[in-house]
Amino acid sequence: MTRVIPQAGIDLLGRQAEVVVNDGDEPLSAERLQEEARRSDAVLTLLTDGVDADLLRSGDRLKCICNVAVGFDNIDVPAATAAGIAVTNTPGVLTDTTADFAFALLMAIARRVVEGDRYARAGRYTGWGIQLLLGADITGATLGIVGMGRIGQGMAKRAAGFDMTILYSDEVRQPPERERELNARYVDLDELFAVSDFVSLHTPLTPETRHLVSWERLNTMKPTACIINTSRGPVINEPELARALREGRIAGAALDVFENEPAIYSDLLDLENVILTPHIASASVATRTRMATMAAENCLALLAGERPPNILNPEVLESPQFRRRFELTGASA
Ligand code: GLV
């Protein structure tokens, strides 16, 4: 286990396996992670652990990487498959918690909640003002959802309660019946960015989505529009976003994820019209606990020779490389 996770996950694994936990404050270095992976049957990783081809090629014992996250861009899944190693994630359990947070960010940036808090704390509130901290209306506004997966759909459900017009863009179009249920209209990215009052990103990070939000794209948005990112930082080109915010090309941004976490592009720190949160969209007690137990369940299933409920590369289970790992070293669960 590369970091301490909620105790329920540690306990579940500990009943059937010898668990080694990095209980330090820092993530493991690439070398330590590789070293630990060589002597483990399974590694429970967090999204801050880079699992690359080098690590996956080293040693014969490792049989699975269980990410305690729904996103898995930190893991080279094709390299894992080639090496005969299963990869699992934790989908579904964080959908509502993350959509709640994305909607909270939308409301907070629209109505300048965090800016208002800073203003009040700084002792600047010296009298009610009819022009003070005017924001944008949410009710009736147009929301553009980039990526209509589970969390994108959760966002659409919340937006419906605010009578928003809902547009979405994705590689895959939802069936007409689902579009009707969500009251969402499928549009291309150009239209979505051009007409939305709020753009919320819910796409995985892939080569296609890296820097999807660029200077060019930002300049097609309304100057009154805001962008919300609870997906992955590199979907936005951060320096270009900072420039767009500084020059008033768009009105605001609320970011829970960053291009080079935990670093935040320094220009963003100086801007009033941006909300910055430390990758906490799924951070409720219940959800983080369930993510931990789900990763443990995936791990125990795999080591018991069963198909893990959330395997990302199921084809690996049939591969000779995968079987060889069990033949060589057995499993401890
Ligand atoms: C969080 O970002 C996750 O992918 O679970």
PDB file of all heavy atoms in Angstrom, residues 47 67-73 90 94 230-232 257 279 282 288 291, ligand 1:
ATOM      1  N   LEU A  47      -3.612   7.980  -6.964  1.00  0.00           N
ATOM      2  CA  LEU A  47      -3.419   8.635  -8.256  1.00  0.00           C
ATOM      3  C   LEU A  47      -2.119   9.432  -8.328  1.00  0.00           C
ATOM      4  O   LEU A  47      -1.697   9.848  -9.402  1.00  0.00           O
ATOM      5  CB  LEU A  47      -4.629   9.518  -8.587  1.00  0.00           C
ATOM      6  CG  LEU A  47      -5.055  10.578  -7.565  1.00  0.00           C
ATOM      7  CD1 LEU A  47      -4.299  11.860  -7.763  1.00  0.00           C
ATOM      8  CD2 LEU A  47      -6.546  10.799  -7.649  1.00  0.00           C
ATOM      9  N   ASN A  67      -5.787   0.596  -8.122  1.00  0.00           N
ATOM     10  CA  ASN A  67      -5.780   2.044  -7.917  1.00  0.00           C
ATOM     11  C   ASN A  67      -6.960   2.427  -7.028  1.00  0.00           C
ATOM     12  O   ASN A  67      -8.084   1.987  -7.259  1.00  0.00           O
ATOM     13  CB  ASN A  67      -5.929   2.734  -9.276  1.00  0.00           C
ATOM     14  CG  ASN A  67      -5.061   3.955  -9.424  1.00  0.00           C
ATOM     15  OD1 ASN A  67      -3.992   4.042  -8.793  1.00  0.00           O
ATOM     16  ND2 ASN A  67      -5.459   4.889 -10.262  1.00  0.00           N
ATOM     17  N   VAL A  68      -6.684   3.236  -6.013  1.00  0.00           N
ATOM     18  CA  VAL A  68      -7.761   3.713  -5.150  1.00  0.00           C
ATOM     19  C   VAL A  68      -8.231   5.050  -5.750  1.00  0.00           C
ATOM     20  O   VAL A  68      -8.028   6.123  -5.186  1.00  0.00           O
ATOM     21  CB  VAL A  68      -7.283   3.886  -3.688  1.00  0.00           C
ATOM     22  CG1 VAL A  68      -8.495   4.097  -2.758  1.00  0.00           C
ATOM     23  CG2 VAL A  68      -6.487   2.675  -3.227  1.00  0.00           C
ATOM     24  N   ALA A  69      -8.823   4.973  -6.918  1.00  0.00           N
ATOM     25  CA  ALA A  69      -9.289   6.143  -7.674  1.00  0.00           C
ATOM     26  C   ALA A  69     -10.061   5.610  -8.865  1.00  0.00           C
ATOM     27  O   ALA A  69      -9.830   4.468  -9.288  1.00  0.00           O
ATOM     28  CB  ALA A  69      -8.103   6.967  -8.175  1.00  0.00           C
ATOM     29  N   VAL A  70     -10.924   6.448  -9.402  1.00  0.00           N
ATOM     30  CA  VAL A  70     -11.595   6.022 -10.638  1.00  0.00           C
ATOM     31  C   VAL A  70     -10.702   6.314 -11.836  1.00  0.00           C
ATOM     32  O   VAL A  70     -10.617   5.527 -12.771  1.00  0.00           O
ATOM     33  CB  VAL A  70     -13.008   6.656 -10.784  1.00  0.00           C
ATOM     34  CG1 VAL A  70     -12.955   8.158 -10.919  1.00  0.00           C
ATOM     35  CG2 VAL A  70     -13.747   6.052 -11.972  1.00  0.00           C
ATOM     36  N   GLY A  71      -9.987   7.462 -11.799  1.00  0.00           N
ATOM     37  CA  GLY A  71      -9.071   7.804 -12.887  1.00  0.00           C
ATOM     38  C   GLY A  71      -7.845   6.897 -12.811  1.00  0.00           C
ATOM     39  O   GLY A  71      -7.428   6.513 -11.724  1.00  0.00           O
ATOM     40  N   PHE A  72      -7.290   6.564 -13.973  1.00  0.00           N
ATOM     41  CA  PHE A  72      -6.126   5.663 -13.940  1.00  0.00           C
ATOM     42  C   PHE A  72      -5.041   6.117 -14.921  1.00  0.00           C
ATOM     43  O   PHE A  72      -4.273   5.317 -15.421  1.00  0.00           O
ATOM     44  CB  PHE A  72      -6.553   4.206 -14.192  1.00  0.00           C
ATOM     45  CG  PHE A  72      -7.432   4.021 -15.399  1.00  0.00           C
ATOM     46  CD1 PHE A  72      -6.871   3.788 -16.652  1.00  0.00           C
ATOM     47  CD2 PHE A  72      -8.805   4.109 -15.294  1.00  0.00           C
ATOM     48  CE1 PHE A  72      -7.682   3.626 -17.764  1.00  0.00           C
ATOM     49  CE2 PHE A  72      -9.635   3.955 -16.412  1.00  0.00           C
ATOM     50  CZ  PHE A  72      -9.057   3.706 -17.649  1.00  0.00           C
ATOM     51  N   ASP A  73      -5.010   7.421 -15.183  1.00  0.00           N
ATOM     52  CA  ASP A  73      -3.994   7.944 -16.093  1.00  0.00           C
ATOM     53  C   ASP A  73      -2.595   7.887 -15.493  1.00  0.00           C
ATOM     54  O   ASP A  73      -1.610   8.117 -16.176  1.00  0.00           O
ATOM     55  CB  ASP A  73      -4.342   9.379 -16.506  1.00  0.00           C
ATOM     56  CG  ASP A  73      -4.668  10.237 -15.310  1.00  0.00           C
ATOM     57  OD1 ASP A  73      -5.816  10.191 -14.819  1.00  0.00           O
ATOM     58  OD2 ASP A  73      -3.784  10.941 -14.824  1.00  0.00           O
ATOM     59  N   THR A  90     -11.757   2.243  -9.042  1.00  0.00           N
ATOM     60  CA  THR A  90     -12.920   2.294  -8.129  1.00  0.00           C
ATOM     61  C   THR A  90     -14.047   3.147  -8.727  1.00  0.00           C
ATOM     62  O   THR A  90     -14.361   4.222  -8.207  1.00  0.00           O
ATOM     63  CB  THR A  90     -12.521   2.869  -6.754  1.00  0.00           C
ATOM     64  OG1 THR A  90     -12.036   4.219  -6.952  1.00  0.00           O
ATOM     65  CG2 THR A  90     -11.462   2.055  -6.067  1.00  0.00           C
ATOM     66  N   LEU A  94     -17.862   7.017  -6.306  1.00  0.00           N
ATOM     67  CA  LEU A  94     -17.585   8.438  -6.043  1.00  0.00           C
ATOM     68  C   LEU A  94     -18.388   9.370  -6.943  1.00  0.00           C
ATOM     69  O   LEU A  94     -18.193  10.581  -6.923  1.00  0.00           O
ATOM     70  CB  LEU A  94     -16.077   8.716  -6.159  1.00  0.00           C
ATOM     71  CG  LEU A  94     -15.330   8.148  -7.372  1.00  0.00           C
ATOM     72  CD1 LEU A  94     -15.719   8.848  -8.637  1.00  0.00           C
ATOM     73  CD2 LEU A  94     -13.840   8.221  -7.138  1.00  0.00           C
ATOM     74  N   THR A 230     -13.076  19.310 -12.436  1.00  0.00           N
ATOM     75  CA  THR A 230     -12.889  18.291 -11.396  1.00  0.00           C
ATOM     76  C   THR A 230     -12.384  16.996 -12.038  1.00  0.00           C
ATOM     77  O   THR A 230     -12.505  15.929 -11.445  1.00  0.00           O
ATOM     78  CB  THR A 230     -14.215  17.989 -10.662  1.00  0.00           C
ATOM     79  OG1 THR A 230     -15.223  17.699 -11.640  1.00  0.00           O
ATOM     80  CG2 THR A 230     -14.667  19.142  -9.791  1.00  0.00           C
ATOM     81  N   SER A 231     -11.837  17.094 -13.270  1.00  0.00           N
ATOM     82  CA  SER A 231     -11.413  15.867 -13.961  1.00  0.00           C
ATOM     83  C   SER A 231      -9.927  15.625 -13.735  1.00  0.00           C
ATOM     84  O   SER A 231      -9.541  15.052 -12.703  1.00  0.00           O
ATOM     85  CB  SER A 231     -11.779  15.938 -15.447  1.00  0.00           C
ATOM     86  OG  SER A 231     -11.103  16.991 -16.104  1.00  0.00           O
ATOM     87  N   ARG A 232      -9.093  16.082 -14.642  1.00  0.00           N
ATOM     88  CA  ARG A 232      -7.644  16.009 -14.466  1.00  0.00           C
ATOM     89  C   ARG A 232      -7.048  17.330 -14.925  1.00  0.00           C
ATOM     90  O   ARG A 232      -7.483  17.902 -15.941  1.00  0.00           O
ATOM     91  CB  ARG A 232      -7.045  14.853 -15.276  1.00  0.00           C
ATOM     92  CG  ARG A 232      -7.288  13.472 -14.675  1.00  0.00           C
ATOM     93  CD  ARG A 232      -6.550  13.287 -13.337  1.00  0.00           C
ATOM     94  NE  ARG A 232      -6.715  11.953 -12.784  1.00  0.00           N
ATOM     95  CZ  ARG A 232      -7.609  11.623 -11.851  1.00  0.00           C
ATOM     96  NH1 ARG A 232      -8.433  12.531 -11.360  1.00  0.00           N
ATOM     97  NH2 ARG A 232      -7.651  10.388 -11.383  1.00  0.00           N
ATOM     98  N   VAL A 257      -8.277  20.401  -9.723  1.00  0.00           N
ATOM     99  CA  VAL A 257      -7.150  19.593 -10.215  1.00  0.00           C
ATOM    100  C   VAL A 257      -6.212  20.494 -11.002  1.00  0.00           C
ATOM    101  O   VAL A 257      -6.642  21.515 -11.546  1.00  0.00           O
ATOM    102  CB  VAL A 257      -7.668  18.436 -11.104  1.00  0.00           C
ATOM    103  CG1 VAL A 257      -8.331  17.352 -10.282  1.00  0.00           C
ATOM    104  CG2 VAL A 257      -8.631  18.946 -12.174  1.00  0.00           C
ATOM    105  N   HIS A 279      -7.746  18.970  -4.953  1.00  0.00           N
ATOM    106  CA  HIS A 279      -8.174  17.645  -5.465  1.00  0.00           C
ATOM    107  C   HIS A 279      -8.992  16.891  -4.401  1.00  0.00           C
ATOM    108  O   HIS A 279      -8.594  15.806  -3.969  1.00  0.00           O
ATOM    109  CB  HIS A 279      -6.952  16.825  -5.912  1.00  0.00           C
ATOM    110  CG  HIS A 279      -7.300  15.791  -6.939  1.00  0.00           C
ATOM    111  ND1 HIS A 279      -6.420  15.408  -7.931  1.00  0.00           N
ATOM    112  CD2 HIS A 279      -8.422  15.046  -7.133  1.00  0.00           C
ATOM    113  CE1 HIS A 279      -6.986  14.475  -8.679  1.00  0.00           C
ATOM    114  NE2 HIS A 279      -8.202  14.233  -8.218  1.00  0.00           N
ATOM    115  N   SER A 282     -13.836  14.017  -4.456  1.00  0.00           N
ATOM    116  CA  SER A 282     -14.438  12.764  -3.952  1.00  0.00           C
ATOM    117  C   SER A 282     -14.223  12.601  -2.446  1.00  0.00           C
ATOM    118  O   SER A 282     -14.469  11.529  -1.893  1.00  0.00           O
ATOM    119  CB  SER A 282     -13.844  11.556  -4.684  1.00  0.00           C
ATOM    120  OG  SER A 282     -12.474  11.385  -4.352  1.00  0.00           O
ATOM    121  N   ARG A 288     -14.564   8.055   0.477  1.00  0.00           N
ATOM    122  CA  ARG A 288     -13.156   7.637   0.523  1.00  0.00           C
ATOM    123  C   ARG A 288     -13.035   6.271   1.213  1.00  0.00           C
ATOM    124  O   ARG A 288     -12.197   5.450   0.844  1.00  0.00           O
ATOM    125  CB  ARG A 288     -12.308   8.696   1.209  1.00  0.00           C
ATOM    126  CG  ARG A 288     -12.107   9.948   0.347  1.00  0.00           C
ATOM    127  CD  ARG A 288     -11.063   9.710  -0.746  1.00  0.00           C
ATOM    128  NE  ARG A 288     -11.053  10.724  -1.781  1.00  0.00           N
ATOM    129  CZ  ARG A 288     -10.382  11.875  -1.738  1.00  0.00           C
ATOM    130  NH1 ARG A 288      -9.644  12.164  -0.689  1.00  0.00           N
ATOM    131  NH2 ARG A 288     -10.439  12.720  -2.748  1.00  0.00           N
ATOM    132  N   MET A 291     -14.082   3.741  -1.371  1.00  0.00           N
ATOM    133  CA  MET A 291     -13.028   3.563  -2.390  1.00  0.00           C
ATOM    134  C   MET A 291     -11.943   2.622  -1.871  1.00  0.00           C
ATOM    135  O   MET A 291     -11.433   1.768  -2.595  1.00  0.00           O
ATOM    136  CB  MET A 291     -12.420   4.924  -2.764  1.00  0.00           C
ATOM    137  CG  MET A 291     -13.334   5.783  -3.614  1.00  0.00           C
ATOM    138  SD  MET A 291     -12.792   7.516  -3.671  1.00  0.00           S
ATOM    139  CE  MET A 291     -11.304   7.387  -4.668  1.00  0.00           C
TER     140      MET A 291
HETATM  141  C1  GLV B   1      -9.973  11.096  -8.289  1.00  0.00           C
HETATM  142  O1  GLV B   1      -9.529  12.004  -8.900  1.00  0.00           O
HETATM  143  C2  GLV B   1     -10.211   9.793  -8.841  1.00  0.00           C
HETATM  144  O2  GLV B   1      -9.856   9.562 -10.010  1.00  0.00           O
HETATM  145  O3  GLV B   1     -10.739   8.930  -8.123  1.00  0.00           O
END
